[in-house]
Amino acid sequence: MSSPGAGLRLAVGTFTRIPSGTVALDAATARTALLLAPVAVLPLAALAGLVAASVELGTPPLVAAGLTLALLAYGSRGMHLDGLADTVDGLGAGWDEERAREVMRRGDVGPMGAVALVLLLLVQVAAIAHLLGSGWQGALVVGCAVVISRAVCAPLCVRGTTPAPGSRLGAAFVGTVPPAVALLPMLVLAVLVGFAARAALGSDVALGMVFVATAITYVAAMVLRERATRVFGGVNGDVLGAAVEMSLLIVLVALTVA
């Protein structure tokens, strides 16, 4: 029987580069790991917040934002960014499922994936730089955005979802989360992050925008799941990584508007 500790260690090892030891993988452990993914990235989010807070020491907001994203990429082994690029390339490959999966398995990044990466990072760095105009309060909000962005993985892996053929990570995680609890991390974090954003930014609008961002993220994730199932034959690790980056982008932009 899986323990919460085993699930948390699996989540840490999957979503960060922090060593977590060997974990016996089964459906229960995978389910726990997906639900605890936001908890697993707390150390990474805290470090990102500290780097972002260097604006209080005189670091220009744009530089601090770039360093924050560099830390997040390093702390996650660049897997989510790689997943985004591979997913975009695969979706744009056309033809049939096998062709799309072949494109995703390649080590290189195609033109569509490269453009997606550049645009995503450009908007993310601009949003973080804008938030850092509020100093350490903005840095706190950035750290919260990192945490809530990882909650999108559970809804993508609900029971009934098909793992993409040939995907080891998909076979391990996809289809393990009961629908009744899949949205629980997103809802709980929306409340916590919403009130934290309102307190940090001094704006009631921030609270509402977090809930709006959470709703948009969920809808976008469901659209991505449907597209992945139709084009790739199911959800794989690259799709989960793309969803994380998409979620972070949506939350950051919403908070910037707030």
Side-chain angles (χ1 to χ4, degrees):
M1 180 179 295
S2 172
S3 69
L8 180 59
R9 288 196 292 120
L10 178 60
V12 170
T14 302
F15 291 95
T16 75
R17 66 181 303 121
I18 300 172
S20 59
T22 303
V23 178
L25 183 57
D26 54 35
T29 303
R31 176 177 63 248
T32 303
L34 289 167
L35 295 173
L36 293 181
V39 178
V41 299
L42 280 174
L44 181 59
L47 286 174
L50 286 175
V51 171
S54 65
V55 292
E56 296 285 3
L57 302 177
T59 305
L62 190 58
V63 174
L67 292 174
T68 300
L69 289 179
L71 173 67
L72 290 175
Y74 175 79
S76 61
R77 306 185 191 92
M79 291 176 59
H80 302 139
L81 293 171
D82 177 69
L84 173 76
D86 287 344
T87 298
V88 172
D89 281 337
L91 290 175
W95 300 5
D96 54 20
E97 290 182 9
E98 184 55 40
R99 167 65 176 172
R101 291 195 296 268
E102 178 187 347
V103 169
M104 296 179 74
R105 286 193 293 266
R106 293 176 180 172
D108 58 340
V109 177
M112 293 184 65
V115 171
L117 280 176
V118 170
L119 292 178
L120 176 122
L121 290 172
L122 179 63
V123 177
Q124 284 184 350
V125 77
I128 293 174
H130 182 80
L131 290 170
L132 294 183
S134 299
W136 68 265
Q137 294 96 329
L140 174 63
V141 170
V142 170
C144 290
V146 173
V147 174
I148 196 173
S149 67
R150 272 55 178 179
V152 74
C153 293
L156 280 169
C157 296
V158 294
R159 290 173 182 165
T161 304
T162 305
S167 171
R168 289 181 298 177
L169 193 147
F173 286 95
V174 175
T176 61
V177 182
V181 299
L183 282 176
L184 188 59
M186 292 186 74
L187 295 176
V188 171
L189 286 169
V191 174
L192 296 178
V193 172
F195 280 102
R198 185 178 71 170
L201 300 179
S203 169
D204 289 335
V205 178
L207 174 61
M209 288 306 294
V210 170
F211 284 104
V212 170
T214 302
I216 294 174
T217 296
Y218 176 74
V219 172
M222 295 304 97
V223 172
L224 178 60
R225 185 180 69 178
E226 187 276 332
R227 286 281 293 164
T229 301
R230 183 153 52 90
V231 178
F232 310 141
V235 173
N236 58 19
D238 286 331
V239 173
L240 296 181
V244 167
E245 291 296 340
M246 176 186 68
S247 176
L248 180 60
L249 176 70
I250 292 171
V251 175
L252 288 174
V253 170
L255 290 170
T256 301
V257 173

